[in-house]
Amino acid sequence: MRIVPLNLKEANTIVKCWHRHHKPVVGHRFSIGAVKNNKIVGVAISGRPIARLSVQRMELEILRVTTDGTKNACSFLLGAVGRIAKNMGYAKVKTTTLSKESGASLKAVGWSSKEMGDGSGWDSRPNRNVDCKSERKVQWSKVFISQYDDFAFPEEIELKINNNQLSF
């Protein structure tokens, strides 16, 4: 297998066709596909953390992973996202599964797990519709940097970013 970059429309089309219980996502930081014998056999979509209290700049969340059932494709994708996240400088990459899912692929790539609640509060913001919100969840993570200091942009750049004054 090999990894290929995908745009969000391509990745979401595959999620819509193959994912058992989730809908396509609204946005992403990057998406990748697993290719075997010149055919896409799986996708992973990674984006900003869903939880508002997460360190948005330093954490990456895998929002969707789905495959056509090709052996080891899920582990292959998860491992690739982890390596990409580490190379991009993220301190942590995480994802969430339903508690009824085994997490075998996540265990295979060395991720740690912790039980979460039943999903209540996941749709606490107005107009937020969350798939599988009433089911128990497990959060999985891979930490690359356990202690880190956030960084700051130079003041003149920070002002332009905050005031949307960037021009090219």
Side-chain angles (χ1 to χ4, degrees):
M1 274 186 275
R2 63 185 171 98
I3 294 296
V4 296
L6 297 175
N7 64 43
L8 185 57
K9 184 178 179 182
E10 294 166 333
N12 268 336
T13 299
I14 294 169
V15 165
K16 190 172 182 177
C17 292
W18 291 350
H19 205 286
R20 292 185 305 260
H21 54 81
H22 279 307
K23 298 174 186 172
V25 300
V26 176
H28 75 152
R29 289 207 170 130
F30 65 88
S31 296
I32 59 173
V35 173
K36 185 174 182 180
N37 299 327
N38 292 325
K39 179 184 154 212
I40 291 276
V41 296
V43 299
I45 302 174
S46 301
R48 64 174 182 76
I50 301 299
R52 290 180 284 179
L53 298 179
S54 296
V55 181
Q56 297 287 315
R57 185 182 290 146
M58 297 302 291
E59 295 181 10
L60 182 73
E61 185 160 347
I62 300 176
L63 305 172
R64 302 285 186 273
V65 175
T66 190
T67 73
D68 66 355
T70 297
K71 186 175 182 176
N72 299 322
C74 189
S75 298
F76 182 74
L77 287 162
L78 292 166
V81 170
R83 289 187 299 278
I84 293 166
K86 184 177 181 180
N87 288 335
M88 289 180 73
Y90 285 101
K92 178 180 180 181
V93 62
K94 62 186 178 180
T95 194
T96 305
T97 62
L98 300 178
S99 62
K100 64 185 178 186
E101 297 174 307
S102 73
S105 294
L106 291 151
K107 291 175 190 171
V109 293
W111 290 36
S112 302
S113 66
K114 74 174 183 180
E115 289 289 325
M116 296 177 69
D118 62 2
S120 59
W122 282 50
D123 61 350
S124 59
R125 287 182 264 168
N127 300 320
R128 185 168 189 189
N129 186 12
V130 179
D131 300 337
C132 309
K133 65 182 171 187
S134 62
E135 297 192 45
R136 294 197 67 74
K137 314 267 187 317
V138 177
Q139 184 178 75
W140 297 84
S141 63
K142 182 79 170 180
V143 176
F144 306 116
I145 306 168
S146 57
Q147 295 280 325
Y148 59 87
D149 293 321
D150 202 3
F151 60 89
F153 291 98
E155 187 175 333
E156 67 275 9
I157 295 174
E158 188 72 42
L159 288 171
K160 289 183 178 186
I161 291 171
N162 289 335
N163 293 322
N164 294 320
Q165 296 177 349
L166 294 179
S167 60
F168 301 95

